[in-house]
Structure formats: structure tokens, C-alpha cells
Amino acid sequence: MNYVDATIAPTRKTGHIKLHGPEAFAGMRKAGHLTATLLDALVPLVRPGVTTGAIDRFCFDFAMAHDAYPAPLDYRGFRKSVCTSINHVVCHGIPDDKPLRDGDIVNIDVTLIVDGWHGDSSRMYQVGNVARRAVRLIEVTYEALQRGIAAVKPGATTHDIGVAIQTYAEAERCSVVREFCGHGLGQLFHDEPNILHYAHKTSAVELKPGMIFTIEPMLNLGRPHVKVLADGWTAVTRDRSLSAQFEHSVGVTATGVEIFTQSPSGLDFPPAQV
């Protein structure tokens, strides 16, 4: 895998890893902050009886009111502004008019484009009174993300991120989904490199200052295997076990890592709303 200065690289996926400078990091901070602010604003909205369609409309209106655009809308035919993945849905759940139920857990995945930069993040939300095993899965998934982020520094590799996540998750008796991964981003929604959430030394890429990507582990209470439903988007656990995911957009700095999508209100792990 080759590296290229992002200022001279074309704004498309080229198979090279783009190394970004201070202006790009400033753009990512702005996009990430707005994305995190929207995820904060969803905390009181996620309650029993609220539909994921209503959440989607709230997110679209929020984006329009803040001169932003929801990246998922019309992306490869996806017709909604966010992804809402409930219970055994691993990722890419499509918002609809079915109300959330007491005891559900839901991942809401938001990507806002602000001045051409993509802020991509997701969180787990607890709907009403959630079973302890579901809360534990959420806790383990959140900690797995934090451990993956902590592995990011110049000279480390993408393999180190995967090892940190997988080692912790499996020690907590959760499985790591293999079919989906983190990804480079910036002025593109999805770019190089892929960030695997499990150990895969042969695909390791060295981390260098200026790299920007997401880390977004998906953990299951049961086996790691998933399938995609007939709609072509919704991925679910094959054994119908619960699944959880957290995601941040991060940048590699000279000394470590910067999280662009940190919650301004300390709600990166949203509390239950009863």
C-alpha cells in the first residue's frame, strides 16, 4: 500500500493512502463536531414508541438546518439519511415506521458532510428498560472501540488495532464481526485503508501522521457470522443473537491520535432513557 500527500491526490479512491495536513484536520474537526452534536441531540428522542423513520427525519432536518448533508442519503441507492440497526441487526438497518419497543437496543450511524468533509460516527442507544446481557454487550463494545483507538500511534499498524479489539472482545465472550470494517475517509465517504477489527497481520498497514479513518467494531453475543437481507443493505446475525457497534472518526497525529467525533456533552456512551 502506497501513501500520497492528500493535497496532490485526486478526490477519489485511488488505492493509495492519503496523508492529510492541518487544514484537513480542521475540516474533520468541524464535520466530526457537528456529527457528534447530532448524536447527542438524539439521546432524549430514542424512547419506546418513537419510530426510526422519525429519527431519520430529525437527522435530515438537523443537517439541513446546519448547512450539512447526510452522506448516506442516495449513497449507492440507500434512501435514508442514517442507518438504524436494532437488536440482532448488525449494521445498515433502514429506518421505517415501526416503533421502537421497551428493551430494544439500537445503533444509530450518522455521517454528515460539512464543507466537503465527512464526519462519521455511531453510538448504541438503550430503549427503556434493557436486559442486563444487552447492556453488557454495549459496554464491551464501547470498551473495545476505546482499546482500538488507544492502539493508534505513528509506527503502529492497522493490525495492532484489530488485535486490541479482538483480544478484549473474545476475553469478554463476545465475537467480532469480520464482514465489515472501518475505512479511510475525509473528502471521500469511504477510502483507503480498511481497518479490520480482528487480527490479520498479512494485511497490516503502518500508521503514519496524517492518516484519517474510522474505527467501528461490531460485536455479537453469539457467533460472528452475518447475512444481508433481501433489501441488499440490512445485515443481521445468522443466529439472531444481539449485536452492538460504536464508531469514531480519528486522525493519526505526530504523537498519537485525535478523535474528531467525540461527544461535546460527554454522551459517547448514551444513558438509558426510561
Side-chain angles (χ1 to χ4, degrees), residues 5-268:
D5 184 333
T7 60
I8 62 174
T11 309
R12 58 181 174 83
K13 193 169 184 178
T14 62
H16 297 79
I17 297 172
K18 298 180 178 68
L19 300 180
H20 299 270
E23 290 186 5
F25 271 57
M28 287 299 296
R29 285 185 202 108
K30 185 176 180 181
H33 179 80
L34 188 63
T35 295
T37 300
L38 172 53
L39 288 168
D40 285 355
L42 291 175
V43 171
L45 183 61
V46 181
R47 293 177 177 272
V50 174
T51 68
T52 52
I55 292 170
D56 180 74
R57 289 188 291 275
F58 179 91
C59 292
F60 177 82
D61 291 343
F62 180 96
M64 295 298 102
H66 291 82
D67 297 320
Y69 190 82
L73 186 59
D74 293 326
Y75 178 78
R76 297 182 178 178
F78 194 80
R79 299 308 302 246
K80 299 294 182 178
S81 297
V82 298
C83 297
T84 51
S85 303
I86 304 170
N87 296 334
H88 72 291
V89 178
V90 176
C91 62
H92 303 156
I94 302 172
D96 58 24
D97 292 329
K98 184 178 179 180
L100 294 170
R101 299 179 300 176
D102 186 67
D104 283 343
I105 59 172
V106 56
N107 176 273
I108 303 178
D109 192 342
V110 171
T111 305
L112 294 182
I113 305 172
V114 182
D115 298 334
W117 296 95
H118 292 70
D120 190 359
S121 185
S122 80
R123 299 179 198 167
M124 293 301 299
Y125 296 80
Q126 303 172 53
V127 185
N129 296 293
V130 174
R132 176 58 199 159
R133 66 191 183 95
V135 175
R136 178 181 170 276
L137 172 64
I138 294 172
E139 292 170 345
V140 171
T141 307
Y142 181 75
E143 178 62 21
L145 171 63
Q146 299 309 307
R147 293 187 181 216
I149 293 172
V152 177
K153 60 183 178 181
T157 70
T158 54
H159 170 71
D160 297 324
I161 299 171
V163 168
I165 292 170
Q166 182 181 10
T167 300
Y168 174 72
E170 293 183 350
E172 295 296 325
R173 299 184 180 180
C174 295
S175 62
V176 181
V177 171
R178 265 69 164 173
E179 284 84 349
F180 301 97
C181 61
H183 53 86
L185 84 166
Q187 291 180 302
L188 292 182
F189 194 176
H190 295 92
D191 205 348
E192 304 292 350
N194 288 333
I195 306 297
L196 305 183
H197 304 120
Y198 56 94
H200 199 283
K201 196 167 186 178
T202 58
S203 64
V205 171
E206 183 181 354
L207 301 179
K208 296 188 176 185
M211 291 174 63
I212 296 173
F213 49 82
T214 69
I215 303 176
E216 46 185 297
M218 304 166 203
L219 304 188
N220 299 342
L221 272 184
R223 297 178 64 81
H225 311 298
V226 309
K227 64 179 180 180
V228 177
L229 300 184
D231 60 29
W233 287 101
T234 308
V236 301
T237 55
R238 284 188 175 272
D239 59 8
R240 295 189 66 82
S241 62
L242 291 175
S243 187
Q245 178 191 19
F246 281 91
E247 175 184 15
H248 272 313
S249 297
V250 304
V252 184
T253 69
T255 58
V257 62
E258 178 176 351
I259 303 173
F260 299 120
T261 47
Q262 198 92 50
S263 166
S265 303
L267 296 173
D268 292 297

